[in-house]
Amino acid sequence: MDIFLMRHGEASFDAPTDPQRELTVLGQQQSRAMAEHYFADWQTVDLVLISPYVRTDQTWQQIAAILPQPVPVQILEELVPEADPEYASDVVIATAQVLGARRVLVVSHMPLLGYLLAELVPGQIPAMFTTSAVAKITLDEAATLVERLAPHELLPV
């Protein structure tokens, strides 16, 4: 199974509550740039898991706009910023297994993503994710961090 952990794009602070924060124009661009970079991988994603926050849905919408076919999306309360990483990891894996997913995109928040990476890949220390950054993990006999990439690390085309 491949799991892509992605932080939402840059979000505005102009909202009545944290869950209602929306992506900025830059956040939309970051999300789309990462989707274009990962197009070969993400066109075969068979499950998307997002938090219930507006900015994660908007990040997913930027990605979905370039994919060739619709992908099932599940909103999980276990992916909010302050969620328990061990429990979130179990829910992500169990949801993927129950649905038979082999390639999963998880769009969530800091600090959860840093701790989730450490939960999924033994020996990893919790890491920072800049906005729209992605970590690709392969779960086979053992979990492997394949790469971590942020939008500012993409080479200009």
Side-chain angles (χ1 to χ4, degrees), residues 47-141:
L47 178 62
V48 176
L49 304 173
I50 64 173
S51 88
Y53 288 22
V54 170
R55 59 191 178 269
T56 58
D57 180 58
Q58 289 177 331
T59 297
W60 165 241
Q61 294 308 319
Q62 291 297 313
I63 298 164
I66 72 163
L67 296 181
Q69 60 193 15
V71 179
V73 177
Q74 294 223 351
I75 298 169
L76 299 176
E77 290 290 334
E78 293 83 3
L79 294 177
V80 297
E82 67 280 354
D84 176 83
E86 183 178 0
Y87 186 64
S89 172
D90 290 345
V91 169
V92 166
I93 299 297
T95 302
Q97 289 175 339
V98 165
L99 297 174
R102 300 297 305 148
R103 298 193 89 141
V104 181
L105 172 61
V106 176
V107 184
S108 188
H109 312 267
M110 282 300 295
L112 176 65
L113 283 171
Y115 294 117
L116 193 54
L117 176 62
E119 279 295 324
L120 291 168
V121 182
Q124 272 294 298
I125 59 170
M128 287 297 300
F129 280 68
T130 61
T131 53
S132 290
V134 173
K136 179 181 179 182
I137 301 166
T138 298
L139 298 176
D140 289 321
E141 304 295 316

